Amino acid sequence: MSAHITNAIRKLRFEHNEMTQQQLADAVDVSRQTIVAIEKGKYSPSLEVAFKIARQFDKSVEEVFFWQQQG
Amino acid sequence: MSAHITNAIRKLRFEHNEMTQQQLADAVDVSRQTIVAIEKGKYSPSLEVAFKIARQFDKSVEEVFFWQQQG
DNA sequence: CAAACATGTCAAATATTTTTGACATCAACT
DNA sequence: AGTTGATGTCAAAAATATTTGACATGTTTG
């Protein structure tokens, strides 16, 4: 029932000067554990955090997060 | 500190055959109160609900939700 | 080897989102 | 006048996201 959301955060971090999880966390003002959890798909972020992460990489939300509908 | 996110849900509901809050709620599988709260900007939704609402209107997340960065 | 760093994980506490149920108002209709 | 439907609000509970602090692992560097 719950939709699954994947993301390209890890890929984008490496493409952006090998940014570390801690650096991204600081840049978007969340904890490192939050970045880890989102990156690993443990849960999906709030829309606000999603916007912050996307903008950090100069991307749209949909270029970073991928939603696949369930049946 | 908290970024503000506005949205075009009400406008889109009316553009889509005057869809009611209840119909939208049913379509994206949340309660009517959730639609009311998001529509009125009481809080911003999860990324998952944001995706569902956007797709309901055949829009991207960014065509429905507008994030304004804080200083 | 030891120190530093990046990553992963866990558990408990806190914050935020979402649900449920109830009630109020207003407009449209019979 | 009464009913129905759409919207708004409130409060408490439940679910989910986020934080904090701690610890473990592997890699790199002095």
Side-chain angles (χ1 to χ4, degrees):
Chain A
M1 298 310 188
S2 70
H4 198 217
I5 295 176
T6 56
N7 67 78
I9 297 176
R10 181 174 294 260
K11 178 163 173 284
L12 287 164
R13 280 200 298 112
F14 287 115
E15 285 171 6
H16 283 249
N17 203 32
E18 310 242 322
M19 187 180 217
T20 67
Q21 292 175 336
Q22 185 67 66
Q23 287 169 336
L24 176 56
D26 290 345
V28 303
D29 201 33
V30 297
S31 69
R32 183 177 65 84
Q33 286 87 334
T34 294
I35 299 297
V36 175
I38 295 169
E39 208 174 278
K40 306 224 91 189
K42 208 175 166 202
Y43 51 74
S44 49
S46 66
L47 181 56
E48 189 170 325
V49 170
F51 263 119
K52 287 186 189 172
I53 293 174
R55 290 301 138 77
Q56 177 61 32
F57 295 123
D58 288 308
K59 299 284 186 191
S60 71
V61 169
E62 258 115 346
E63 285 172 320
V64 180
F65 298 95
F66 314 108
W67 178 71
Q68 29 259 36
Q69 191 170 13
Q70 307 294 89
Chain B
M1 300 305 189
S2 68
H4 200 218
I5 294 176
T6 57
N7 67 78
I9 296 176
R10 181 174 294 260
K11 179 162 172 285
L12 287 164
R13 278 200 299 112
F14 287 114
E15 285 171 6
H16 283 250
N17 203 32
E18 311 242 324
M19 187 181 217
T20 68
Q21 292 175 337
Q22 185 66 65
Q23 287 169 335
L24 176 57
D26 291 345
V28 303
D29 201 33
V30 298
S31 68
R32 183 177 65 86
Q33 286 86 334
T34 294
I35 299 297
V36 175
I38 295 168
E39 208 174 278
K40 306 224 90 189
K42 209 176 165 199
Y43 52 73
S44 48
S46 67
L47 181 56
E48 190 169 323
V49 171
F51 263 119
K52 287 186 191 173
I53 293 174
R55 289 303 138 77
Q56 177 61 33
F57 296 123
D58 288 308
K59 299 285 186 191
S60 71
V61 169
E62 258 116 345
E63 285 172 319
V64 180
F65 298 95
F66 314 107
W67 178 72
Q68 28 260 37
Q69 191 169 14
Q70 307 295 89

PDB file of all heavy atoms in Angstrom, chain A residues 13 18-33 35-36 39, chain C residues 5-8, chain D residues 20:
ATOM      1  N   ARG A  13      25.931  13.299  -4.497  1.00  0.00           N
ATOM      2  CA  ARG A  13      27.005  13.696  -3.587  1.00  0.00           C
ATOM      3  C   ARG A  13      28.359  13.507  -4.230  1.00  0.00           C
ATOM      4  O   ARG A  13      29.217  14.390  -4.183  1.00  0.00           O
ATOM      5  CB  ARG A  13      26.933  12.869  -2.292  1.00  0.00           C
ATOM      6  CG  ARG A  13      25.900  13.359  -1.296  1.00  0.00           C
ATOM      7  CD  ARG A  13      26.200  12.851   0.113  1.00  0.00           C
ATOM      8  NE  ARG A  13      26.176  11.410   0.252  1.00  0.00           N
ATOM      9  CZ  ARG A  13      27.239  10.661   0.501  1.00  0.00           C
ATOM     10  NH1 ARG A  13      28.436  11.205   0.641  1.00  0.00           N
ATOM     11  NH2 ARG A  13      27.127   9.350   0.626  1.00  0.00           N
ATOM     12  N   GLU A  18      32.494  15.036  -4.356  1.00  0.00           N
ATOM     13  CA  GLU A  18      32.590  14.012  -3.320  1.00  0.00           C
ATOM     14  C   GLU A  18      32.136  14.538  -1.966  1.00  0.00           C
ATOM     15  O   GLU A  18      32.758  14.312  -0.935  1.00  0.00           O
ATOM     16  CB  GLU A  18      34.028  13.502  -3.206  1.00  0.00           C
ATOM     17  CG  GLU A  18      34.647  13.107  -4.532  1.00  0.00           C
ATOM     18  CD  GLU A  18      35.026  11.644  -4.577  1.00  0.00           C
ATOM     19  OE1 GLU A  18      35.483  11.128  -3.548  1.00  0.00           O
ATOM     20  OE2 GLU A  18      34.847  11.010  -5.634  1.00  0.00           O
ATOM     21  N   MET A  19      31.041  15.252  -2.005  1.00  0.00           N
ATOM     22  CA  MET A  19      30.465  15.799  -0.786  1.00  0.00           C
ATOM     23  C   MET A  19      30.160  14.667   0.200  1.00  0.00           C
ATOM     24  O   MET A  19      29.624  13.638  -0.189  1.00  0.00           O
ATOM     25  CB  MET A  19      29.169  16.510  -1.172  1.00  0.00           C
ATOM     26  CG  MET A  19      28.522  17.287  -0.070  1.00  0.00           C
ATOM     27  SD  MET A  19      27.003  18.056  -0.696  1.00  0.00           S
ATOM     28  CE  MET A  19      27.041  19.612   0.171  1.00  0.00           C
ATOM     29  N   THR A  20      30.492  14.873   1.445  1.00  0.00           N
ATOM     30  CA  THR A  20      30.217  13.827   2.438  1.00  0.00           C
ATOM     31  C   THR A  20      28.787  13.948   2.972  1.00  0.00           C
ATOM     32  O   THR A  20      28.132  14.982   2.801  1.00  0.00           O
ATOM     33  CB  THR A  20      31.186  13.917   3.629  1.00  0.00           C
ATOM     34  OG1 THR A  20      30.914  15.125   4.347  1.00  0.00           O
ATOM     35  CG2 THR A  20      32.622  13.898   3.164  1.00  0.00           C
ATOM     36  N   GLN A  21      28.337  12.916   3.625  1.00  0.00           N
ATOM     37  CA  GLN A  21      26.998  12.935   4.238  1.00  0.00           C
ATOM     38  C   GLN A  21      26.910  14.082   5.246  1.00  0.00           C
ATOM     39  O   GLN A  21      25.898  14.765   5.342  1.00  0.00           O
ATOM     40  CB  GLN A  21      26.721  11.604   4.939  1.00  0.00           C
ATOM     41  CG  GLN A  21      26.573  10.438   3.982  1.00  0.00           C
ATOM     42  CD  GLN A  21      26.420   9.123   4.707  1.00  0.00           C
ATOM     43  OE1 GLN A  21      26.837   8.982   5.857  1.00  0.00           O
ATOM     44  NE2 GLN A  21      25.845   8.137   4.034  1.00  0.00           N
ATOM     45  N   GLN A  22      27.985  14.270   5.989  1.00  0.00           N
ATOM     46  CA  GLN A  22      27.990  15.338   6.999  1.00  0.00           C
ATOM     47  C   GLN A  22      27.883  16.720   6.352  1.00  0.00           C
ATOM     48  O   GLN A  22      27.154  17.584   6.842  1.00  0.00           O
ATOM     49  CB  GLN A  22      29.273  15.256   7.835  1.00  0.00           C
ATOM     50  CG  GLN A  22      29.318  16.251   8.983  1.00  0.00           C
ATOM     51  CD  GLN A  22      28.268  15.946  10.036  1.00  0.00           C
ATOM     52  OE1 GLN A  22      28.317  14.928  10.698  1.00  0.00           O
ATOM     53  NE2 GLN A  22      27.286  16.845  10.195  1.00  0.00           N
ATOM     54  N   GLN A  23      28.588  16.901   5.257  1.00  0.00           N
ATOM     55  CA  GLN A  23      28.524  18.194   4.570  1.00  0.00           C
ATOM     56  C   GLN A  23      27.134  18.469   4.022  1.00  0.00           C
ATOM     57  O   GLN A  23      26.621  19.584   4.137  1.00  0.00           O
ATOM     58  CB  GLN A  23      29.556  18.236   3.422  1.00  0.00           C
ATOM     59  CG  GLN A  23      30.998  18.369   3.918  1.00  0.00           C
ATOM     60  CD  GLN A  23      32.020  18.147   2.820  1.00  0.00           C
ATOM     61  OE1 GLN A  23      31.738  17.475   1.817  1.00  0.00           O
ATOM     62  NE2 GLN A  23      33.214  18.693   2.984  1.00  0.00           N
ATOM     63  N   LEU A  24      26.520  17.436   3.451  1.00  0.00           N
ATOM     64  CA  LEU A  24      25.161  17.605   2.944  1.00  0.00           C
ATOM     65  C   LEU A  24      24.200  17.889   4.097  1.00  0.00           C
ATOM     66  O   LEU A  24      23.355  18.785   4.016  1.00  0.00           O
ATOM     67  CB  LEU A  24      24.724  16.355   2.176  1.00  0.00           C
ATOM     68  CG  LEU A  24      23.277  16.360   1.674  1.00  0.00           C
ATOM     69  CD1 LEU A  24      22.999  17.575   0.790  1.00  0.00           C
ATOM     70  CD2 LEU A  24      22.966  15.071   0.921  1.00  0.00           C
ATOM     71  N   ALA A  25      24.372  17.136   5.172  1.00  0.00           N
ATOM     72  CA  ALA A  25      23.517  17.337   6.353  1.00  0.00           C
ATOM     73  C   ALA A  25      23.618  18.785   6.843  1.00  0.00           C
ATOM     74  O   ALA A  25      22.605  19.435   7.105  1.00  0.00           O
ATOM     75  CB  ALA A  25      23.913  16.370   7.458  1.00  0.00           C
ATOM     76  N   ASP A  26      24.828  19.287   6.950  1.00  0.00           N
ATOM     77  CA  ASP A  26      25.031  20.674   7.390  1.00  0.00           C
ATOM     78  C   ASP A  26      24.385  21.647   6.404  1.00  0.00           C
ATOM     79  O   ASP A  26      23.713  22.596   6.804  1.00  0.00           O
ATOM     80  CB  ASP A  26      26.519  20.978   7.524  1.00  0.00           C
ATOM     81  CG  ASP A  26      27.160  20.240   8.692  1.00  0.00           C
ATOM     82  OD1 ASP A  26      26.414  19.724   9.555  1.00  0.00           O
ATOM     83  OD2 ASP A  26      28.400  20.169   8.744  1.00  0.00           O
ATOM     84  N   ALA A  27      24.585  21.391   5.131  1.00  0.00           N
ATOM     85  CA  ALA A  27      24.080  22.313   4.104  1.00  0.00           C
ATOM     86  C   ALA A  27      22.559  22.410   4.117  1.00  0.00           C
ATOM     87  O   ALA A  27      22.001  23.473   3.872  1.00  0.00           O
ATOM     88  CB  ALA A  27      24.573  21.872   2.726  1.00  0.00           C
ATOM     89  N   VAL A  28      21.887  21.316   4.403  1.00  0.00           N
ATOM     90  CA  VAL A  28      20.427  21.351   4.379  1.00  0.00           C
ATOM     91  C   VAL A  28      19.851  21.384   5.788  1.00  0.00           C
ATOM     92  O   VAL A  28      18.628  21.309   5.965  1.00  0.00           O
ATOM     93  CB  VAL A  28      19.829  20.187   3.568  1.00  0.00           C
ATOM     94  CG1 VAL A  28      20.371  20.192   2.154  1.00  0.00           C
ATOM     95  CG2 VAL A  28      20.074  18.858   4.233  1.00  0.00           C
ATOM     96  N   ASP A  29      20.729  21.461   6.759  1.00  0.00           N
ATOM     97  CA  ASP A  29      20.313  21.651   8.147  1.00  0.00           C
ATOM     98  C   ASP A  29      19.479  20.494   8.702  1.00  0.00           C
ATOM     99  O   ASP A  29      18.407  20.703   9.280  1.00  0.00           O
ATOM    100  CB  ASP A  29      19.545  22.981   8.276  1.00  0.00           C
ATOM    101  CG  ASP A  29      19.526  23.490   9.709  1.00  0.00           C
ATOM    102  OD1 ASP A  29      20.506  23.270  10.431  1.00  0.00           O
ATOM    103  OD2 ASP A  29      18.511  24.110  10.093  1.00  0.00           O
ATOM    104  N   VAL A  30      19.989  19.301   8.508  1.00  0.00           N
ATOM    105  CA  VAL A  30      19.432  18.127   9.187  1.00  0.00           C
ATOM    106  C   VAL A  30      20.612  17.335   9.758  1.00  0.00           C
ATOM    107  O   VAL A  30      21.773  17.664   9.494  1.00  0.00           O
ATOM    108  CB  VAL A  30      18.616  17.213   8.229  1.00  0.00           C
ATOM    109  CG1 VAL A  30      17.408  17.952   7.663  1.00  0.00           C
ATOM    110  CG2 VAL A  30      19.494  16.661   7.129  1.00  0.00           C
ATOM    111  N   SER A  31      20.319  16.317  10.531  1.00  0.00           N
ATOM    112  CA  SER A  31      21.394  15.518  11.107  1.00  0.00           C
ATOM    113  C   SER A  31      21.961  14.542  10.072  1.00  0.00           C
ATOM    114  O   SER A  31      21.297  14.227   9.080  1.00  0.00           O
ATOM    115  CB  SER A  31      20.879  14.736  12.311  1.00  0.00           C
ATOM    116  OG  SER A  31      19.978  13.746  11.890  1.00  0.00           O
ATOM    117  N   ARG A  32      23.180  14.093  10.319  1.00  0.00           N
ATOM    118  CA  ARG A  32      23.786  13.140   9.399  1.00  0.00           C
ATOM    119  C   ARG A  32      22.971  11.860   9.327  1.00  0.00           C
ATOM    120  O   ARG A  32      22.801  11.267   8.260  1.00  0.00           O
ATOM    121  CB  ARG A  32      25.216  12.809   9.847  1.00  0.00           C
ATOM    122  CG  ARG A  32      25.954  11.882   8.907  1.00  0.00           C
ATOM    123  CD  ARG A  32      27.375  11.645   9.351  1.00  0.00           C
ATOM    124  NE  ARG A  32      27.458  10.949  10.617  1.00  0.00           N
ATOM    125  CZ  ARG A  32      27.389   9.621  10.747  1.00  0.00           C
ATOM    126  NH1 ARG A  32      27.263   8.860   9.691  1.00  0.00           N
ATOM    127  NH2 ARG A  32      27.472   9.059  11.929  1.00  0.00           N
ATOM    128  N   GLN A  33      22.420  11.446  10.461  1.00  0.00           N
ATOM    129  CA  GLN A  33      21.612  10.228  10.481  1.00  0.00           C
ATOM    130  C   GLN A  33      20.397  10.337   9.568  1.00  0.00           C
ATOM    131  O   GLN A  33      19.966   9.342   8.978  1.00  0.00           O
ATOM    132  CB  GLN A  33      21.146   9.919  11.905  1.00  0.00           C
ATOM    133  CG  GLN A  33      22.237   9.375  12.811  1.00  0.00           C
ATOM    134  CD  GLN A  33      23.032  10.479  13.484  1.00  0.00           C
ATOM    135  OE1 GLN A  33      23.109  11.582  12.955  1.00  0.00           O
ATOM    136  NE2 GLN A  33      23.616  10.200  14.633  1.00  0.00           N
ATOM    137  N   ILE A  35      20.305  12.016   6.755  1.00  0.00           N
ATOM    138  CA  ILE A  35      20.813  11.790   5.391  1.00  0.00           C
ATOM    139  C   ILE A  35      21.028  10.299   5.142  1.00  0.00           C
ATOM    140  O   ILE A  35      20.621   9.764   4.104  1.00  0.00           O
ATOM    141  CB  ILE A  35      22.129  12.561   5.156  1.00  0.00           C
ATOM    142  CG1 ILE A  35      21.906  14.077   5.312  1.00  0.00           C
ATOM    143  CG2 ILE A  35      22.701  12.230   3.783  1.00  0.00           C
ATOM    144  CD1 ILE A  35      20.958  14.683   4.314  1.00  0.00           C
ATOM    145  N   VAL A  36      21.643   9.634   6.104  1.00  0.00           N
ATOM    146  CA  VAL A  36      21.878   8.196   5.954  1.00  0.00           C
ATOM    147  C   VAL A  36      20.558   7.463   5.744  1.00  0.00           C
ATOM    148  O   VAL A  36      20.414   6.650   4.822  1.00  0.00           O
ATOM    149  CB  VAL A  36      22.603   7.623   7.192  1.00  0.00           C
ATOM    150  CG1 VAL A  36      22.730   6.105   7.081  1.00  0.00           C
ATOM    151  CG2 VAL A  36      23.973   8.262   7.363  1.00  0.00           C
ATOM    152  N   GLU A  39      19.050   8.315   2.335  1.00  0.00           N
ATOM    153  CA  GLU A  39      19.883   7.762   1.268  1.00  0.00           C
ATOM    154  C   GLU A  39      19.673   6.260   1.131  1.00  0.00           C
ATOM    155  O   GLU A  39      19.616   5.731   0.020  1.00  0.00           O
ATOM    156  CB  GLU A  39      21.348   8.090   1.578  1.00  0.00           C
ATOM    157  CG  GLU A  39      22.222   8.200   0.372  1.00  0.00           C
ATOM    158  CD  GLU A  39      23.633   8.678   0.717  1.00  0.00           C
ATOM    159  OE1 GLU A  39      23.828   9.898   0.859  1.00  0.00           O
ATOM    160  OE2 GLU A  39      24.538   7.824   0.849  1.00  0.00           O
TER     161      GLU A  39
ATOM    162  P    DC C   5      39.514  14.514  11.189  1.00  0.00           P
ATOM    163  OP1  DC C   5      39.777  15.832  10.608  1.00  0.00           O
ATOM    164  OP2  DC C   5      38.777  14.359  12.468  1.00  0.00           O
ATOM    165  O5'  DC C   5      38.758  13.618  10.097  1.00  0.00           O
ATOM    166  C5'  DC C   5      39.448  13.216   8.922  1.00  0.00           C
ATOM    167  C4'  DC C   5      38.597  12.218   8.154  1.00  0.00           C
ATOM    168  O4'  DC C   5      38.712  10.912   8.770  1.00  0.00           O
ATOM    169  C3'  DC C   5      37.096  12.573   8.165  1.00  0.00           C
ATOM    170  O3'  DC C   5      36.615  12.433   6.847  1.00  0.00           O
ATOM    171  C2'  DC C   5      36.495  11.519   9.092  1.00  0.00           C
ATOM    172  C1'  DC C   5      37.431  10.344   8.819  1.00  0.00           C
ATOM    173  N1   DC C   5      37.443   9.269   9.856  1.00  0.00           N
ATOM    174  C2   DC C   5      37.439   7.947   9.429  1.00  0.00           C
ATOM    175  O2   DC C   5      37.432   7.708   8.212  1.00  0.00           O
ATOM    176  N3   DC C   5      37.449   6.951  10.353  1.00  0.00           N
ATOM    177  C4   DC C   5      37.468   7.256  11.650  1.00  0.00           C
ATOM    178  N4   DC C   5      37.474   6.240  12.533  1.00  0.00           N
ATOM    179  C5   DC C   5      37.466   8.603  12.106  1.00  0.00           C
ATOM    180  C6   DC C   5      37.461   9.580  11.187  1.00  0.00           C
ATOM    181  P    DA C   6      35.268  13.200   6.392  1.00  0.00           P
ATOM    182  OP1  DA C   6      35.660  14.188   5.360  1.00  0.00           O
ATOM    183  OP2  DA C   6      34.507  13.610   7.589  1.00  0.00           O
ATOM    184  O5'  DA C   6      34.434  12.052   5.670  1.00  0.00           O
ATOM    185  C5'  DA C   6      35.090  11.136   4.800  1.00  0.00           C
ATOM    186  C4'  DA C   6      34.271   9.867   4.723  1.00  0.00           C
ATOM    187  O4'  DA C   6      34.590   9.054   5.873  1.00  0.00           O
ATOM    188  C3'  DA C   6      32.757  10.088   4.754  1.00  0.00           C
ATOM    189  O3'  DA C   6      32.182   9.475   3.609  1.00  0.00           O
ATOM    190  C2'  DA C   6      32.292   9.436   6.059  1.00  0.00           C
ATOM    191  C1'  DA C   6      33.418   8.464   6.363  1.00  0.00           C
ATOM    192  N9   DA C   6      33.627   8.217   7.784  1.00  0.00           N
ATOM    193  C8   DA C   6      33.778   9.148   8.779  1.00  0.00           C
ATOM    194  N7   DA C   6      33.949   8.624   9.975  1.00  0.00           N
ATOM    195  C5   DA C   6      33.904   7.260   9.750  1.00  0.00           C
ATOM    196  C6   DA C   6      34.028   6.150  10.620  1.00  0.00           C
ATOM    197  N6   DA C   6      34.219   6.266  11.938  1.00  0.00           N
ATOM    198  N1   DA C   6      33.940   4.918  10.067  1.00  0.00           N
ATOM    199  C2   DA C   6      33.742   4.817   8.738  1.00  0.00           C
ATOM    200  N3   DA C   6      33.609   5.781   7.817  1.00  0.00           N
ATOM    201  C4   DA C   6      33.707   6.992   8.408  1.00  0.00           C
ATOM    202  P    DT C   7      30.625   9.546   3.344  1.00  0.00           P
ATOM    203  OP1  DT C   7      30.454   9.409   1.882  1.00  0.00           O
ATOM    204  OP2  DT C   7      30.073  10.696   4.076  1.00  0.00           O
ATOM    205  O5'  DT C   7      30.088   8.217   4.031  1.00  0.00           O
ATOM    206  C5'  DT C   7      30.556   6.956   3.589  1.00  0.00           C
ATOM    207  C4'  DT C   7      30.148   5.871   4.550  1.00  0.00           C
ATOM    208  O4'  DT C   7      30.697   6.148   5.857  1.00  0.00           O
ATOM    209  C3'  DT C   7      28.640   5.721   4.765  1.00  0.00           C
ATOM    210  O3'  DT C   7      28.217   4.525   4.139  1.00  0.00           O
ATOM    211  C2'  DT C   7      28.471   5.649   6.292  1.00  0.00           C
ATOM    212  C1'  DT C   7      29.898   5.465   6.782  1.00  0.00           C
ATOM    213  N1   DT C   7      30.155   6.030   8.123  1.00  0.00           N
ATOM    214  C2   DT C   7      30.382   5.152   9.160  1.00  0.00           C
ATOM    215  O2   DT C   7      30.375   3.938   9.025  1.00  0.00           O
ATOM    216  N3   DT C   7      30.616   5.750  10.382  1.00  0.00           N
ATOM    217  C4   DT C   7      30.654   7.103  10.656  1.00  0.00           C
ATOM    218  O4   DT C   7      30.882   7.513  11.796  1.00  0.00           O
ATOM    219  C5   DT C   7      30.420   7.970   9.519  1.00  0.00           C
ATOM    220  C7   DT C   7      30.439   9.456   9.689  1.00  0.00           C
ATOM    221  C6   DT C   7      30.185   7.389   8.323  1.00  0.00           C
ATOM    222  P    DG C   8      26.645   4.176   4.121  1.00  0.00           P
ATOM    223  OP1  DG C   8      26.443   3.236   3.007  1.00  0.00           O
ATOM    224  OP2  DG C   8      25.865   5.420   4.215  1.00  0.00           O
ATOM    225  O5'  DG C   8      26.447   3.374   5.487  1.00  0.00           O
ATOM    226  C5'  DG C   8      27.006   2.086   5.627  1.00  0.00           C
ATOM    227  C4'  DG C   8      26.607   1.486   6.972  1.00  0.00           C
ATOM    228  O4'  DG C   8      27.256   2.235   8.028  1.00  0.00           O
ATOM    229  C3'  DG C   8      25.104   1.542   7.266  1.00  0.00           C
ATOM    230  O3'  DG C   8      24.670   0.233   7.616  1.00  0.00           O
ATOM    231  C2'  DG C   8      24.985   2.503   8.442  1.00  0.00           C
ATOM    232  C1'  DG C   8      26.345   2.392   9.091  1.00  0.00           C
ATOM    233  N9   DG C   8      26.749   3.575   9.843  1.00  0.00           N
ATOM    234  C8   DG C   8      26.828   4.865   9.370  1.00  0.00           C
ATOM    235  N7   DG C   8      27.221   5.720  10.278  1.00  0.00           N
ATOM    236  C5   DG C   8      27.420   4.950  11.414  1.00  0.00           C
ATOM    237  C6   DG C   8      27.840   5.331  12.710  1.00  0.00           C
ATOM    238  O6   DG C   8      28.137   6.449  13.121  1.00  0.00           O
ATOM    239  N1   DG C   8      27.907   4.233  13.568  1.00  0.00           N
ATOM    240  C2   DG C   8      27.601   2.941  13.212  1.00  0.00           C
ATOM    241  N2   DG C   8      27.714   2.016  14.164  1.00  0.00           N
ATOM    242  N3   DG C   8      27.203   2.569  12.002  1.00  0.00           N
ATOM    243  C4   DG C   8      27.131   3.628  11.158  1.00  0.00           C
TER     244       DG C   8
ATOM    245  P    DT D  20      20.039  17.849  17.437  1.00  0.00           P
ATOM    246  OP1  DT D  20      19.873  19.161  18.078  1.00  0.00           O
ATOM    247  OP2  DT D  20      20.909  17.678  16.248  1.00  0.00           O
ATOM    248  O5'  DT D  20      20.538  16.794  18.535  1.00  0.00           O
ATOM    249  C5'  DT D  20      19.710  16.494  19.653  1.00  0.00           C
ATOM    250  C4'  DT D  20      20.279  15.299  20.405  1.00  0.00           C
ATOM    251  O4'  DT D  20      19.866  14.087  19.734  1.00  0.00           O
ATOM    252  C3'  DT D  20      21.812  15.255  20.483  1.00  0.00           C
ATOM    253  O3'  DT D  20      22.184  15.295  21.842  1.00  0.00           O
ATOM    254  C2'  DT D  20      22.192  13.933  19.813  1.00  0.00           C
ATOM    255  C1'  DT D  20      20.896  13.141  19.893  1.00  0.00           C
ATOM    256  N1   DT D  20      20.683  12.141  18.821  1.00  0.00           N
ATOM    257  C2   DT D  20      20.154  10.912  19.159  1.00  0.00           C
ATOM    258  O2   DT D  20      19.868  10.598  20.294  1.00  0.00           O
ATOM    259  N3   DT D  20      19.991  10.060  18.100  1.00  0.00           N
ATOM    260  C4   DT D  20      20.286  10.308  16.771  1.00  0.00           C
ATOM    261  O4   DT D  20      20.091   9.464  15.921  1.00  0.00           O
ATOM    262  C5   DT D  20      20.822  11.616  16.492  1.00  0.00           C
ATOM    263  C7   DT D  20      21.172  11.984  15.090  1.00  0.00           C
ATOM    264  C6   DT D  20      20.993  12.464  17.519  1.00  0.00           C
TER     265       DT D  20
END
